[in-house]
Amino acid sequence: MQRWIIHIDMDAFYAAVEQRDNPELKGKPVIIGGAGNRGVVSTASYEARKFGVRSAMPMVQARRLCPQGIYLFPDHRKYARISAQIHAILDAFSPLVEPLALDEAFLDVSGMELIAADPVAIARQIKRRIRDELGLTASAGVAPNKFLAKLASDLGKPDGLFVIRPGEEQKVLAALPIKRLWGVGDATAAILAQLRIQTIGDLARMNPENLARRLGKAAYELWQLANGIDHRPVIADNDPKSVGKELTFEHDLHYREEMLAHLLALSEKVGWRLRRLGVAGRTITLKVRFGSFRTITRSRTLPEPTCLDDIIYATVREILTQTALPEGVRLLGVTVSHLSAGISQTGLFIAEEQGKKLAVYSAIDKLKERFGESIVRRGGLVKTDTDD
Ligand code: TTP
Ligand code: MG
């Protein structure tokens, strides 16, 4: 499956927020930064950048370059609040979102084109929602990996949407200065300059073994980046140890049929949450609390991880069959643990059979997202009182 990563980065973030909240600042050179002699520029509006003002520059220098600029202190609490709103929007587009900073994040949208829009359309939708709901502009980069996606969002700034498709890596990279590679600072750039390497294209053409003699271990990774190769996964920041759901009944249950109906509903909820998080798990646990409050848990570990409702359900059903029920049941719970990440990234650990089903589940999940979790249910399931 083709990997697709989107990198989102807000344009002149702090300055854009202040311009949004104070229309008098629109179209003007706005510089946000610290006070005092040692204060530095946090960011500058694009109008101020025309004067040469840049992030991390001493404020005194900025004032010299742009005396007519409007200088403001940062309002970090406000930016954090808006950052949370941005990330909430991003979370709606992929279960695999890796926040990098207040104003930027990676999204892995691989495979989503099978069920929703293609990656470029997803990027366009994200930009539109950020503009419509927050009144701010973001730049998006769409590419087969993180390095290229981050580069792409920068190449389109401001309000950009820059796409690097597989096969276009060399064309985009070749003429860029070597410092655009991650991990190339002044020291590495100086060594490379001795080898007459100025551009990413120069580096890409080198023999990686020769390079390693000068640069050591880092050489191979740099050479890969220069050739547009980057296997690093997008890592979602919410990294749960387990995903579970339980339900307490108004009246204790005495019939296994009834319990199974509830277990199916719980399995569907757990499966959906796993898929939304982009994870799958190997250990399935059934929890039973009896009328007397005595509680037991029973687990099974599967040969391979799953995020599929019917495998989760089949497992808890089997566990229930082998569990003695000497009294009425007050609560049932289903939990999946021993999680591994990255279904949408690689699909690697999902066996072929599961992979096919995953496509079907993905379509169902889309409906659930649009119409609410209860809309899609299997036939024959009794209505349940859920506790969420
Ligand atoms: P950036 O995304 O690097 O910059 P930006 O959003 O202001 O501008 P653009 O992306 O369009 O080039 O950083 C995001 C915010 O982080 C920025 O608005 C202010 C803050 N910041 C600092 O406080 N100090 C810094 O040195 C940098 C680079 C950013
Ligand atoms: Mg930014």
Side-chain angles (χ1 to χ4, degrees):
M1 179 172 61
Q2 175 61 48
R3 263 182 106 209
W4 281 110
I5 311 295
I6 298 176
H7 180 255
I8 296 287
D9 189 304
M10 304 298 290
D11 302 320
F13 183 46
Y14 294 3
V17 169
E18 299 307 337
Q19 285 179 321
R20 177 194 76 173
D21 293 350
N22 184 354
E24 276 173 28
L25 301 179
K26 289 216 169 90
K28 303 231 170 89
V30 175
I31 294 118
I32 315 287
N37 286 334
R38 296 173 51 193
V40 294
V41 175
S42 302
T43 194
S45 70
Y46 279 77
E47 294 84 355
R49 293 183 195 194
K50 289 188 194 133
F51 295 86
V53 180
R54 296 281 179 272
S55 293
M57 172 182 282
M59 285 295 257
V60 282
Q61 190 183 347
R63 284 182 192 277
R64 227 172 18 237
L65 288 169
C66 186
Q68 67 272 60
I70 298 157
Y71 290 82
L72 300 171
F73 296 128
D75 180 348
H76 294 290
R77 275 175 138 181
K78 179 155 82 173
Y79 310 141
R81 201 170 62 234
I82 295 164
S83 174
Q85 293 171 330
I86 296 163
H87 286 110
I89 290 176
L90 299 182
D91 284 342
F93 286 90
S94 169
L96 266 180
V97 181
E98 179 176 339
L100 279 189
L102 278 188
D103 84 324
E104 60 177 310
F106 286 113
L107 290 84
D108 189 327
V109 295
S110 313
M112 300 232 175
E113 67 270 19
L114 300 174
I115 49 170
D118 69 88
V120 180
I122 294 173
R124 210 176 287 126
Q125 283 170 30
I126 293 173
K127 280 168 57 75
R128 189 183 311 132
R129 276 196 60 184
I130 291 176
R131 193 192 58 217
D132 293 351
E133 292 172 31
L134 304 180
L136 296 168
T137 65
S139 293
V142 183
N145 61 52
K146 281 174 136 180
F147 165 60
L148 293 171
K150 190 164 159 69
L151 186 79
S153 74
D154 201 45
L155 291 174
K157 267 185 178 297
D159 201 13
L161 172 51
F162 197 100
V163 186
I164 303 176
R165 295 182 185 282
E168 296 177 345
E169 299 89 343
Q170 307 296 346
K171 191 181 77 191
V172 179
L173 291 173
L176 293 175
I178 201 75
K179 280 225 188 167
R180 298 297 291 259
L181 286 179
W182 283 356
V184 176
D186 290 335
T188 310
I191 299 173
L192 292 172
Q194 287 170 10
L195 299 171
R196 298 221 247 152
I197 297 171
Q198 309 278 354
T199 65
I200 295 181
D202 295 339
L203 180 60
R205 281 187 295 272
M206 290 285 293
N207 176 327
E209 270 121 55
N210 292 345
L211 211 55
R213 274 196 283 280
R214 299 297 297 270
L215 287 177
K217 271 195 237 151
Y220 189 64
E221 209 164 287
L222 277 185
W223 180 84
Q224 279 198 314
L225 286 181
N227 282 283
I229 302 163
D230 175 15
H231 296 299
R232 281 167 304 179
V234 172
I235 298 167
D237 69 336
N238 38 6
D239 181 19
K241 295 276 173 288
S242 67
V243 171
K245 194 86 195 107
E246 55 184 48
L247 180 60
T248 303
F249 309 109
E250 240 168 79
H251 305 286
D252 292 353
L253 305 185
H254 295 277
Y255 297 103
R256 283 174 184 266
E257 277 306 303
E258 214 181 342
M259 294 174 209
L260 287 176
H262 286 294
L263 286 178
L264 176 57
L266 288 167
S267 301
E268 288 178 344
K269 284 174 187 293
V270 171
W272 188 44
R273 279 176 177 72
L274 288 166
R275 293 191 297 278
R276 280 192 3 159
L277 291 166
V279 297
R282 282 184 61 201
T283 301
I284 317 252
T285 303
L286 170 70
K287 175 172 167 182
V288 181
R289 177 167 295 147
F290 296 105
S292 63
F293 272 86
R294 187 168 73 88
T295 306
I296 58 167
T297 58
R298 299 277 183 273
S299 298
R300 282 266 182 297
T301 294
L302 306 173
E304 60 192 53
T306 189
C307 58
L308 302 184
D309 309 353
D310 55 355
I311 295 182
I312 299 168
Y313 173 63
T315 311
V316 289
R317 186 183 53 199
E318 192 190 314
I319 301 173
L320 186 76
T321 310
Q322 295 163 9
T323 304
L325 303 172
E327 49 175 321
V329 169
R330 178 189 165 80
L331 170 150
L332 286 171
V334 174
T335 299
V336 175
S337 55
H338 281 131
L339 303 181
S340 10
I343 22 171
S344 63
Q345 277 165 343
T346 58
L348 275 184
F349 63 74
I350 295 282
E352 195 181 347
E353 187 55 26
Q354 282 205 48
K356 281 185 206 141
K357 283 189 190 161
L358 191 57
V360 176
Y361 278 104
S362 297
I364 294 174
D365 291 345
K366 276 285 145 204
L367 289 173
K368 285 182 175 175
E369 267 155 39
R370 278 182 66 189
F371 301 110
E373 200 172 350
S374 60
I375 189 84
V376 189
R377 277 285 167 80
R378 284 137 206 273
L381 186 64
V382 298
K383 177 98 186 77
T384 56
D385 300 313
T386 47
D387 53 359
D388 64 350

